[in-house]
Amino acid sequence: MSKSVSKSVKPIKIVVIGSGGVGKSALTLQFSKSKFFLDYDPTIEDSFSKSCYIDNEMARLDILDTAGQEEFTSMREQYMRLGQAFLVVFSVTDRKGFEEVDSLIQLIYRVKDREAFPIMVAGNKIDLQNDRCIDQSLAQELVQRHQEFNPYCAYIETSAKTRLNVDLVFHDLVRLLRLYNAKGGSKQAKKSKCSLL
Amino acid sequence: MSHLRQRPVAAMNGGLNGIGGVGTPRCNWRRSADVSQWELATLDTSQWRRSVDASQWVNVDDAPNQRCDACELAGQSEAEPPWLRRATRGRQLNSVTRRVATAIASRDCPRQDVRRMFSFQQPEQPETRLLLNDCDQNSNGVDSNNGSDGTVDSMHNSAASSRCCSSCVFEDSNNNGHTNGNGINASAPKSADWTLGGQCNDVKSPDNNDDGMGAYPTFVLPDNNPLGDTDIEDLAELDRRRVRGLARLELTALFDKHRCCQASVATSNGSAVTTKHQRRFLRLQQRSQTLSVPDEDKLDSSEPSSRTVEAKTVRLLRLVRVLTERLSREDALKTRGLFRVCGSAARVRAFRRARPEVVEAAAAASAIDPHDASTLLKACLRELPRPLAVSSRDAGRFTCLPRICDETDRLFGLNLFVLLLPSEFSSVLRELVELLAKVVSHRDQNQMTLQALATVIAPSLVPAHSPEQLLTDSQDLITAVEMLIKYRSIVWIVPDFTLQQIRRQAPPSLPIPAEAAQQRQPHAAVRLLRRIAGGRQHQHKGHLHCQQQQQPSPTSSPFSATSSSLSPLSPTAQQSNSSIIQVRVILTAHESEIVKSVLIASNTTAEEVVRRVGCDSNGSCLYEVGGNLCERRLKPNAVVSVVRRVNPACSWRVK
């Protein structure tokens, strides 16, 4: 019995990445604790876990909140290897953060050695409409370029402050992962069995 | 054998009590390697060393009472022993050990001096010592401690009190009675020192809780130091090197005292004083690390020969300085998330490929975006062949610095780490830390609190060896960096007892730095002009009473004619309230020198002397040159007569 339960709620490892100061921690904390923290503390590495029902199916999310600064890039590959799904955050008010999104996605492909992987791109801080410098179309374009070969990639605009689309972004990511596991992942499982034999 | 074994331990115990200020050690087990290091420092007979090496573990508990014997014996040696001579010639000892060992063995080092090397003040009258007046007594030649061997405790107390008052004063008297990780209670006299420190500190600094500097206790330097606080940058390079040697010894003692750090220290390359073998190993390790860095991240991917490494260091430090200057401007300081938000990767890459002159020009014209500049700055810091804040081999100790429970010792440790830095690193780090403090002071605009800033800058200042280490040590590292920012005005000050030791250890004829040597032989015409100028200014030269020297200072040799014409220093002149000093004014604009004599009273400060000489407008400072220090810039509040008593053989300069 216990075995079946643990199987059904096997944790999903989600890694939140992005440039420094774009709101990764705010987004994660808003999702896991339903709070918006005003303090401006850089993260080194935090992890949260949360259980929720997505499409009537229990899911336990292990969310790893990472540092955006370049100094901490040495840790990047390590957690990228462990992650099952990635949330790439940028701020719509920060052009430099957006420029980094593409390279981050490329890095995921490289570390995972896959062409396709569940990746959600989140344009954060859309409550700051006045400071906005990245249009929705611009971000959409970027994601569409990736979607050509990676169908498990999507773009959502969020606001951690107003809790707009915060749940949706994580839920959609889990959906993408399930889709990915149902198609590509199943093949993999078979493969691993063969190698064991 | 047991008799032989106990003695070196006792010596070591005494030495440590002096340096680290350890109280009665309770159940202290020390590795024999440490013992042999200390034994080298305190003793001079190879027989003892051998006996210690033979025994793997030595119990310190055995012999606290035998310390005096060891000291005595250490003092008894008159000439340099043959083993030491051999060792020094063969450069078998490292510089610190050699220096201490030589000082012990040298002929003119009486017994109490050996002990003074480890205890900074004499046990009696700690209250008067708090005012840092002991220089007076030393110069009077009265050493009341000559005959009596102070007990371990009194020695410890005096050391502790001196450290408290000369390096800093602890304001928060509620914090008495700490327990360090070893279970040794901070002794009662020490906590008393803190309150005494509070008394001696007349002007309390405003409560710094509102400066965004976190919950660290506020330390202030006593502002009534008659010698003037000595900034590390006030000293000549040669003196700085000696400070570094002593600082390394102190650091070892400090970390021996706080054994809570030992586990992590052991993993990070053992003791601070390393053996030759260890250093070779470290060098190999460092080389392998530099080679493992991917080449695309380096500015130049050529072979890391020592010359290219040096050139690279110089270039990077220059770049860091330029960028620091750029970021110190008001517009950059107000940028939200400065140092946190990344710059544009493409632009930063372009700047990294560009020539340094291009970057400098761009920075001067504020053409670099603040975020780009901060990213570039951090990249430069990480690219340096050795970390900016602390050398690679000390990085482990630096990280466990916050684990020291005693606040004063923690600050003292930080001070030592800063003193250990090479000069150019020290000054660049200082500029950087000043910048960081400015950023924190603008935190209302840029949102960067002390903690936030320390978090993002710490990995660049002290790069971690591995990602795991980055994660595990990050909190301690951040605390250390926060302390560096918070105590920036204190940690660059050389503690007075260190300076005192340097003065005491001064060789009779101090080598003169290159630039001073050049100044010694000015052009004949210049000399003539100077003599004319000097003669004009000192009409009453014959009345001069006090050209200082009891022994001729090497730097005063060009003025031997002047000096010889002066009446020798008489005891009455020494005790009189006012006297005259000769100040050599060096005018860099005209490349000439003028000698002026200045009448000083017992309370004349350096600032007044500079004013009387007429150089106060262009930011000149008074220097004490020669004697028992190479050169030292005096702070404006330093009292000249007191300095003269400490360093009677010095000459004075205004630059």
Side-chain angles (χ1 to χ4, degrees):
Chain A
M1 179 63 196
S2 65
K3 262 187 185 176
S4 69
V5 168
S6 69
K7 250 186 189 175
S8 64
V9 289
K10 195 177 175 188
I12 299 168
K13 292 196 177 78
I14 294 177
V15 180
V16 186
I17 53 177
S19 182
V22 294
K24 297 178 290 296
S25 305
L27 210 62
T28 315
L29 287 168
Q30 182 65 275
F31 176 67
S32 58
K33 297 188 176 165
S34 303
K35 272 181 193 163
F36 181 69
F37 291 91
L38 276 170
D39 49 348
Y40 194 71
D41 282 339
T43 314
I44 297 168
E45 199 171 287
D46 292 331
S47 63
F48 306 90
S49 93
K50 180 170 174 158
S51 302
C52 55
Y53 277 97
I54 300 166
D55 300 337
N56 293 325
E57 202 180 320
M58 184 71 174
R60 212 176 90 208
L61 309 183
D62 271 0
I63 306 167
L64 189 74
D65 184 13
T66 65
Q69 280 75 29
E70 220 183 302
E71 300 86 282
F72 300 98
T73 41
S74 56
M75 291 145 65
R76 220 175 236 171
E77 286 208 5
Q78 205 174 12
Y79 57 66
M80 276 193 177
R81 238 171 266 135
L82 296 170
Q84 294 171 302
F86 291 90
L87 180 64
V88 183
V89 184
F90 71 92
S91 159
V92 293
T93 63
D94 178 18
R95 185 166 287 279
K96 303 158 216 154
F98 179 68
E99 283 166 7
E100 212 171 295
V101 169
D102 194 51
S103 62
L104 281 173
I105 295 177
Q106 299 290 355
L107 186 66
I108 296 170
Y109 294 151
R110 208 164 60 224
V111 171
K112 286 291 178 188
D113 202 16
R114 301 257 165 81
E115 286 267 295
F117 210 76
I119 294 167
M120 200 80 189
V121 180
N124 197 20
K125 303 195 190 178
I126 59 160
D127 51 302
L128 300 170
Q129 279 295 345
N130 293 338
D131 301 333
R132 181 160 187 159
C133 60
I134 306 291
D135 277 342
Q136 191 170 2
S137 56
L138 205 66
Q140 285 287 6
E141 203 179 295
L142 174 95
V143 172
Q144 268 164 17
R145 225 170 36 237
H146 282 285
Q147 274 171 343
E148 283 172 18
F149 49 88
N150 178 11
Y152 312 102
C153 187
Y155 173 66
I156 291 185
E157 302 216 316
T158 59
S159 166
K161 194 173 182 182
T162 59
R163 208 183 158 82
L164 179 75
N165 288 344
V166 170
D167 285 341
L168 187 70
V169 74
F170 282 97
H171 290 188
D172 271 7
L173 188 57
V174 174
R175 287 185 192 115
L176 282 176
L177 179 68
R178 282 175 183 164
L179 207 66
Y180 174 79
N181 284 342
K183 290 191 175 175
S186 57
K187 274 182 197 169
Q188 229 186 18
K190 273 183 189 171
K191 264 186 185 172
S192 65
K193 267 185 188 173
C194 286
S195 69
L196 274 173
L197 285 168
Chain B
M1 183 60 199
S2 69
H3 174 68
L4 281 175
R5 266 178 60 186
Q6 281 180 351
R7 276 186 162 167
V9 174
M12 177 203 67
N13 193 16
L16 281 177
N17 276 326
I19 285 198
V22 187
T24 42
R26 210 171 57 196
C27 191
N28 273 351
W29 293 85
R30 293 191 194 280
R31 284 285 311 279
S32 64
D34 295 328
V35 173
S36 64
Q37 285 287 354
W38 281 107
E39 183 262 338
L40 267 182
T42 35
L43 305 174
D44 51 359
T45 35
S46 50
Q47 187 193 8
W48 287 3
R49 188 171 47 144
R50 250 181 273 124
S51 72
V52 175
D53 284 343
S55 64
Q56 186 69 35
W57 293 91
V58 185
N59 191 352
V60 178
D61 262 354
D62 288 347
N65 299 325
Q66 310 220 358
R67 186 190 51 80
C68 306
D69 301 10
C71 282
E72 251 165 55
L73 275 157
Q76 270 170 13
S77 78
E78 296 254 313
E80 195 180 14
W83 69 267
L84 175 65
R85 213 175 303 138
R86 267 203 311 277
T88 40
R89 274 201 196 139
R91 295 175 187 249
Q92 287 296 312
L93 300 172
N94 69 39
S95 58
V96 178
T97 324
R98 189 169 60 224
R99 191 172 306 123
V100 174
T102 321
I104 290 164
S106 63
R107 202 165 288 141
D108 56 349
C109 190
R111 212 180 79 209
Q112 72 273 15
D113 272 21
V114 177
R115 199 146 15 86
R116 273 213 213 127
M117 223 168 284
F118 302 110
S119 72
F120 315 110
Q121 308 232 318
Q122 290 140 21
E124 83 285 346
Q125 294 182 327
E127 296 85 12
T128 55
R129 292 319 169 95
L130 280 173
L131 297 172
L132 301 168
N133 280 339
D134 59 343
C135 39
D136 307 359
Q137 299 196 7
N138 292 343
S139 64
N140 290 341
V142 181
D143 194 350
S144 51
N145 195 29
N146 271 353
S148 67
D149 279 313
T151 62
V152 174
D153 275 336
S154 66
M155 186 96 79
H156 160 225
N157 296 346
S158 70
S161 78
S162 88
R163 182 164 302 140
C164 252
C165 67
S166 54
S167 65
C168 51
V169 174
F170 191 68
E171 274 200 337
D172 187 4
S173 54
N174 302 331
N175 254 330
N176 297 347
H178 282 279
T179 308
N180 68 17
N182 203 14
I184 300 172
N185 280 318
S187 57
K190 186 156 191 176
S191 43
D193 284 335
W194 290 346
T195 45
L196 277 172
Q199 283 168 11
C200 97
N201 167 38
D202 292 334
V203 184
K204 289 206 174 189
S205 77
D207 196 4
N208 280 0
N209 284 338
D210 59 341
D211 67 350
M213 288 300 181
Y216 296 100
T218 303
F219 290 89
V220 287
L221 288 163
D223 56 355
N224 49 4
N225 182 356
L227 285 170
D229 298 325
T230 312
D231 204 294
I232 183 75
E233 286 171 18
D234 292 345
L235 294 173
E237 183 57 38
L238 197 75
D239 291 326
R240 284 196 218 178
R241 228 177 291 154
R242 292 156 80 199
V243 169
R244 260 173 248 150
L246 283 172
R248 184 155 289 288
L249 269 174
E250 293 274 357
L251 198 66
T252 310
L254 189 74
F255 277 86
D256 274 354
K257 177 185 169 189
H258 294 278
R259 300 173 69 84
C260 51
C261 314
Q262 207 190 27
S264 46
V265 170
T267 56
S268 61
N269 308 324
S271 59
V273 179
T274 48
T275 61
K276 193 183 177 188
H277 174 75
Q278 281 171 330
R279 261 175 294 171
R280 184 163 161 269
F281 175 73
L282 282 171
R283 222 177 299 135
L284 286 174
Q285 214 176 19
Q286 278 167 8
R287 201 175 298 160
S288 68
Q289 275 165 12
T290 44
L291 286 174
S292 66
V293 176
D295 270 352
E296 64 213 10
D297 285 353
K298 290 184 177 177
L299 275 176
D300 56 350
S301 53
S302 58
E303 278 289 301
S305 77
S306 65
R307 198 177 298 168
T308 53
V309 165
E310 202 170 302
K312 187 178 161 189
T313 312
V314 169
R315 193 175 35 176
L316 285 171
L317 286 179
R318 190 167 148 210
L319 213 54
V320 168
R321 204 167 255 167
V322 166
L323 291 168
T324 310
E325 202 258 324
R326 159 74 189 97
L327 288 169
S328 309
R329 286 182 209 143
E330 202 69 3
D331 64 313
L333 290 175
K334 286 180 179 165
T335 314
R336 187 169 193 272
L338 187 69
F339 282 106
R340 180 177 177 184
V341 176
C342 305
S344 156
R347 278 201 300 263
V348 169
R349 216 175 300 131
F351 276 125
R352 281 171 84 169
R353 297 240 170 92
R355 296 166 63 83
E357 294 82 21
V358 177
V359 182
E360 275 169 40
S366 294
I368 302 186
D369 179 75
H371 291 312
D372 289 354
S374 64
T375 312
L376 194 57
L377 178 67
K378 288 191 284 184
C380 288
L381 292 180
R382 285 195 301 275
E383 227 170 87
L384 279 170
R386 51 152 286 178
L388 184 68
V390 63
S391 72
S392 308
R393 65 171 163 156
D394 290 331
R397 286 166 170 269
F398 190 70
T399 327
C400 51
L401 187 68
R403 286 179 223 155
I404 294 178
C405 302
D406 184 84
E407 267 100 351
T408 319
D409 278 354
R410 209 184 302 162
L411 178 61
F412 181 54
L414 191 67
N415 189 351
L416 292 175
F417 275 118
V418 171
L419 296 184
L420 274 175
L421 289 175
S423 310
E424 62 270 36
F425 279 74
S426 167
S427 63
V428 171
L429 179 66
R430 190 173 203 180
E431 281 171 32
L432 184 66
V433 168
E434 289 293 340
L435 167 69
L436 297 180
K438 266 188 221 165
V439 172
V440 174
S441 68
H442 285 75
R443 68 193 176 287
D444 292 335
Q445 286 107 23
N446 60 27
Q447 306 249 325
M448 296 304 287
T449 55
L450 180 67
Q451 206 220 332
L453 195 63
T455 311
V456 294
I457 202 78
S460 301
L461 283 177
V462 188
H465 293 300
S466 64
E468 294 80 31
Q469 200 203 348
L470 188 63
L471 209 57
T472 50
D473 289 351
S474 60
Q475 197 47 54
D476 287 330
L477 199 56
I478 289 163
T479 314
V481 173
E482 282 179 12
M483 282 171 61
L484 194 64
I485 300 174
K486 159 89 184 172
Y487 299 125
R488 66 190 179 281
S489 57
I490 294 175
V491 290
W492 266 271
I493 304 285
V494 182
D496 272 10
F497 56 82
T498 308
L499 209 60
Q500 264 168 255
Q501 284 179 66
I502 286 178
R503 286 185 196 276
R504 276 193 206 115
Q505 284 178 329
S509 64
L510 201 63
I512 299 146
E515 69 264 31
Q518 281 169 7
Q519 283 163 8
R520 279 180 64 192
Q521 302 297 336
H523 199 267
V526 174
R527 225 183 303 170
L528 182 68
L529 278 173
R530 200 166 51 200
R531 197 170 299 172
I532 293 166
R536 204 178 289 148
Q537 255 130 35
H538 316 309
Q539 304 270 323
H540 51 286
K541 198 165 32 173
H543 303 282
L544 288 186
H545 266 295
C546 82
Q547 175 71 5
Q548 57 282 46
Q549 7 282 95
Q550 282 150 348
Q551 54 177 18
S553 147
T555 47
S556 67
S557 52
F559 284 85
S560 52
T562 334
S563 305
S564 61
S565 71
L566 301 173
S567 61
L569 182 66
S570 63
T572 50
Q574 197 181 22
Q575 278 161 15
S576 69
N577 280 335
S578 63
S579 50
I580 297 166
I581 55 165
Q582 283 209 325
V583 181
R584 206 177 311 175
V585 184
I586 296 165
L587 301 166
T588 44
H590 312 285
E591 293 190 358
S592 61
E593 292 184 4
I594 301 171
V595 181
K596 295 190 179 183
S597 12
V598 178
L599 184 76
I600 54 161
S602 58
N603 57 354
T604 310
T605 59
E607 196 180 15
E608 280 172 44
V609 171
V610 174
R611 198 169 56 232
R612 267 186 241 166
V613 166
C615 293
D616 53 331
S617 56
N618 52 7
S620 303
C621 290
L622 186 66
Y623 288 76
E624 55 162 309
V625 182
N628 47 25
L629 276 184
C630 239
E631 186 181 277
R632 176 178 157 233
R633 190 196 301 153
L634 297 177
K635 286 272 179 288
N637 65 347
V639 180
V640 176
S641 58
V642 179
V643 176
R644 219 187 65 200
R645 247 176 285 163
V646 182
N647 191 0
C650 75
S651 57
W652 305 91
R653 266 183 213 173
V654 171
K655 280 194 239 179

